[in-house]
């Protein structure tokens, strides 16, 4: 399959077991640009484990993961995708703006204007100089989602993106995801 028409991410016969107990698999799916996939299941059913395997944070038991038609590699994942897990992934001692600057600097130049826009869109205007450790759980989730946008990523793997958000935050996440899907 050529890279131009290959799926952003594809899993073929993907399996994962822990302590000889099958957590999931075999799974087969592919996700093209402009598509979304929501994984649903009970607590403990393996959703987070699946996302961690797809992000290369856990080794699969068997099967193949492809990114744009090529076998999974950490370098390819970092250039193509971003993973939003249960942990916020930012520094508690850094302010909202410092955390966004840090993320942006790791992944290329992003203008201060863009970072200020992200802060406004995520609902943290007025908290720019507040250390992340002083934010509520919902505000920390908003910062994590803003950081996701501060770096160029075609593919987002998001684990419970609505956790700790109020109704306005959930609506914002829905708009955010729809915009990302529309952008391919």
């Amino acid at each position: 399959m050529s890279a131009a028409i290959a799926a952003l991410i594809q899993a073929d016969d993907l399996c994962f077991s822990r302590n000889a107990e099958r957590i999931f698999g075999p799974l087969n799916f592919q996700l093209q640009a402009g598509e979304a996939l929501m994984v649903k299941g009970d607590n403990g059913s393996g959703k987070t484990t699946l996302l961690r395997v797809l992000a290369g944070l856990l080794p699969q038991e068997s099967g193949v993961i492809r990114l744009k038609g090529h076998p999974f590699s950490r370098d390819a994942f970092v250039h193509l995708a971003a993973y939003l897990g249960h942990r916020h992934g930012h520094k508690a001692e850094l302010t909202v703006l410092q955390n966004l600057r840090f993320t942006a600097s790791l992944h290329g130049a992003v203008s201060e204007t863009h970072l200020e826009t992200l802060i406004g869109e995520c609902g943290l205007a007025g908290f720019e100089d507040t250390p992340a450790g002083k934010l509520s759980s919902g505000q920390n989730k908003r910062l994590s989602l803003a950081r996701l946008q501060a770096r160029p990523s075609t593919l987002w793997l998001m684990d419970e993106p609505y956790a700790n958000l109020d109704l306005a935050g959930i609506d914002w996440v829905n708009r955010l995801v729809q915009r990302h899907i529309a952008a391919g």
Side-chain angles (χ1 to χ4, degrees):
M1 183 178 278
S2 75
I5 61 169
L8 289 178
I9 190 165
Q10 178 177 341
D12 295 315
D13 297 322
L14 189 63
C15 296
F16 183 84
S17 295
R18 182 177 292 126
N19 300 326
E21 180 183 342
R22 178 65 51 94
I23 304 297
F24 65 77
L27 295 176
N28 295 287
F29 67 88
Q30 64 179 14
L31 199 60
Q32 302 290 337
E35 292 182 334
L37 173 67
M38 180 184 287
V39 179
K40 293 181 178 183
D42 294 334
N43 288 340
S45 63
K47 300 178 304 292
T48 294
T49 301
L50 171 61
L51 291 174
R52 291 178 56 82
V53 168
L54 293 173
L57 300 173
L58 291 173
Q60 70 262 34
E61 175 187 341
S62 61
V64 176
I65 301 169
R66 296 186 186 287
L67 300 172
K68 288 189 160 182
H70 301 286
F72 181 92
S73 75
R74 190 166 305 276
D75 285 343
F77 182 84
V78 168
H79 286 92
L80 175 70
Y83 172 72
L84 176 70
H86 286 278
R87 296 182 189 231
H88 300 303
H90 47 257
K91 300 289 185 187
E93 63 275 7
L94 296 181
T95 67
V96 167
L97 185 56
Q98 289 170 330
N99 270 294
L100 284 172
R101 277 187 191 134
F102 180 74
T103 298
S105 70
L106 289 175
H107 302 284
V110 174
S111 72
E112 287 292 310
T113 303
H114 180 66
L115 297 181
E116 290 169 11
T117 299
L118 290 176
I119 289 170
E121 286 180 357
C122 79
L124 291 177
F127 294 91
E128 296 88 327
D129 298 323
T130 302
K134 301 282 185 189
L135 299 175
S136 71
S137 294
Q139 290 169 323
N140 268 295
K141 177 62 92 169
R142 288 171 179 267
L143 177 55
S144 294
L145 288 157
R147 287 180 54 246
L148 189 68
Q149 299 172 82
R151 55 168 295 178
S153 301
T154 305
L155 176 66
W156 290 349
L157 300 178
M158 300 189 306
D159 195 356
E160 298 189 22
Y162 302 122
N164 301 315
L165 292 177
D166 55 15
L167 292 177
I170 291 168
D171 185 52
W172 169 66
V173 170
N174 289 336
R175 290 190 316 271
L176 178 70
V177 170
Q178 288 301 316
R179 237 184 10 232
H180 193 66
I181 291 168

